[in-house]
Amino acid sequence: MENPVRAGSQWIMRAARWVRADFDGIAALATKLRDVPPVGWEGRYHFRGEEELTLRYLLALDALNFCFWPPSPATGEKWSVPGPGGGRLTGYFALAYALRQVAEADPSFFAPAALRRIGRDRVRDALGEIPLLPWRVRALQEVGEALFRFGSAQGFFARAQGSCRRLVELVTAHLPLFRDAALYRGREVLFHKRAQILCADLAGTFGGEGPGALRDLGWLTAFADYKLPQLLAAHGALVLHPTLAGRIRRLIPLAAGSPEEVELRAATVMAVEELTSTLRAGGRSVLPCEVDWMLWNLAQDRLPIPHPRVLTPFY
Ligand SMILES: Nc1nc2c(c(CN[C@H]3C=C[C@H](O)[C@@H]3O)cn2[C@@H]2O[C@H](COP(=O)(O)O)[C@@H](O)[C@H]2O)c(=O)[nH]1
């Protein structure tokens, strides 16, 4: 079955007014990507241990995998935690590492009954002053609730039967904060960013074996976060309406669910589809999620324009 994220994004881009994919820009970026080696799983900061705990950890990780930038640009620094080598980690890797330390020091944090009724103080103890704390508390409570209902993380993930599509359906059915959808011109469109990343994280963590043996990774689209549109726009693969570009440059948050925000996400998905086809036509066999990883990796370097800011628990 076709991924609804792909079909929805295609439909949005036919009507889009704020963002367009630029085919010369995409072709130029594809040429650059041709020489980028495949990006493997970067698991240095993740927890890996006994299977049940690892699965609980991954579900919690992707439940919290959103908004790592300071809501107030004037006062806030990007959220960070001390890393293993003395420096500081930010963003996704900071979250992976902070949760790993919790898993190692106090595995009972991830017990279904504990997560179900976790409160702000416990989350703050674990993660420090992370943005959007109330959403994160709720996200963890939902993880606890789902684990409680299924009895274990192993029981939960087993229901996916090795399929990304089923895992996305499962997660979005049982954990409301994974339901990453928007209304565009009166129609519901899906992005399922964190649910789809969970599939990639699962495959990466387990090296494609055991619970990470997912047979339909090609079903996944790009994960419509805030780093990919930043990179794509910086390379001219996406062209933004000047008003939108100006707002992003001035760090003004975009309204969640606004047409410009939804179009940016759809354009990101479609640009990655186009990059994937271009690379394939050039003889390189890649999946959209692999192109996503290449781009996300490149987006870890300093970029000439800021990333779009949307206060949302979805990405
Ligand atoms: N499109 C896309 N977005 C991704 C990821 C990942 C994690 N993947 C890695 C994990 C191990 C592997 O080796 C993977 O490469 C996180 N994010 C998103 O980025 C944003 C944070 O950015 P920053 O502040 O710079 O950490 C935030 O929205 C977060 O949800 C991805 O893969 N693709």
Side-chain angles (χ1 to χ4, degrees):
M1 200 181 91
E2 180 53 284
N3 187 333
V5 176
R6 199 168 270 127
S9 297
Q10 197 168 29
W11 173 74
I12 290 168
M13 290 320 289
R14 282 203 288 268
R17 293 164 45 153
W18 291 93
V19 187
R20 68 177 173 82
D22 184 278
F23 289 94
D24 293 336
I26 288 177
L29 182 53
T31 306
K32 288 183 195 139
L33 291 183
R34 256 200 335 235
D35 304 321
V36 173
V39 174
W41 171 247
E42 169 55 275
R44 251 185 306 168
Y45 306 112
H46 292 74
F47 174 75
R48 181 75 205 269
E50 181 253 316
E51 187 176 292
E52 172 64 22
L53 184 57
T54 305
L55 291 172
R56 290 180 189 178
Y57 163 88
L58 282 176
L59 198 52
L61 173 65
D62 280 315
L64 300 176
N65 185 6
F66 56 89
C67 188
F68 301 115
W69 44 272
S72 162
T75 53
E77 295 238 326
K78 194 171 174 186
W79 174 71
S80 68
V81 303
R88 293 193 77 81
L89 293 172
T90 63
Y92 172 83
F93 288 126
L95 179 67
Y97 191 59
L99 285 178
R100 166 181 160 178
Q101 286 173 299
V102 176
E104 286 170 350
D106 178 16
S108 70
F109 178 95
F110 296 93
L115 277 180
R116 251 176 126 196
R117 46 183 166 73
I118 199 163
R120 276 177 187 227
D121 291 344
R122 186 70 192 91
V123 180
R124 210 186 268 121
D125 281 350
L127 302 176
E129 293 303 322
I130 192 163
L132 304 187
L133 187 66
W135 287 115
R136 299 193 198 265
V137 172
R138 203 173 127 193
L140 285 175
Q141 290 171 345
E142 288 182 0
V143 171
E145 196 57 51
L147 293 178
F148 196 80
R149 216 174 304 145
F150 283 80
S152 66
Q154 284 166 314
F156 180 81
F157 282 97
R159 288 282 198 100
Q161 298 171 337
S163 154
C164 297
R165 181 176 65 77
R166 281 175 194 262
L167 181 55
V168 168
E169 283 169 6
L170 185 73
V171 166
T172 54
H174 294 280
L175 294 106
L177 277 177
F178 274 90
R179 280 177 211 150
D180 174 11
L183 258 192
Y184 185 81
R185 294 178 180 242
R187 178 171 146 183
E188 186 184 61
V189 288
L190 307 175
F191 291 106
H192 288 166
K193 180 245 171 189
R194 290 190 287 102
Q196 296 204 78
I197 285 201
L198 177 63
C199 302
D201 283 358
L202 188 65
T205 297
F206 289 97
E209 307 280 331
L214 296 167
R215 60 180 172 280
D216 54 352
L217 286 167
W219 179 85
L220 299 174
T221 66
F223 316 130
D225 71 339
Y226 50 84
K227 301 291 293 182
L228 257 50
Q230 179 188 19
L231 182 98
L232 292 166
H235 282 272
L238 294 186
V239 177
L240 278 44
H241 187 288
T243 309
L244 175 59
R247 247 187 268 163
I248 293 173
R249 213 178 318 110
R250 295 198 304 283
L251 309 184
I252 299 172
L254 313 178
S258 60
E260 50 274 44
E261 187 239 358
V262 176
E263 289 180 16
L264 259 178
R265 300 189 78 196
T268 298
V269 170
M270 291 323 291
V272 171
E273 291 294 315
E274 199 53 44
L275 281 169
T276 306
S277 316
T278 309
L279 288 169
R280 281 185 190 157
R284 184 158 172 188
S285 139
V286 283
L287 302 176
C289 64
E290 294 169 328
V291 175
D292 174 287
W293 271 14
M294 288 159 80
L295 297 174
W296 191 76
N297 239 31
L298 293 174
Q300 293 299 301
D301 294 337
R302 212 170 227 310
L303 293 171
I305 50 171
H307 62 74
R309 290 165 178 251
V310 184
L311 279 169
T312 163
F314 293 130
Y315 62 99

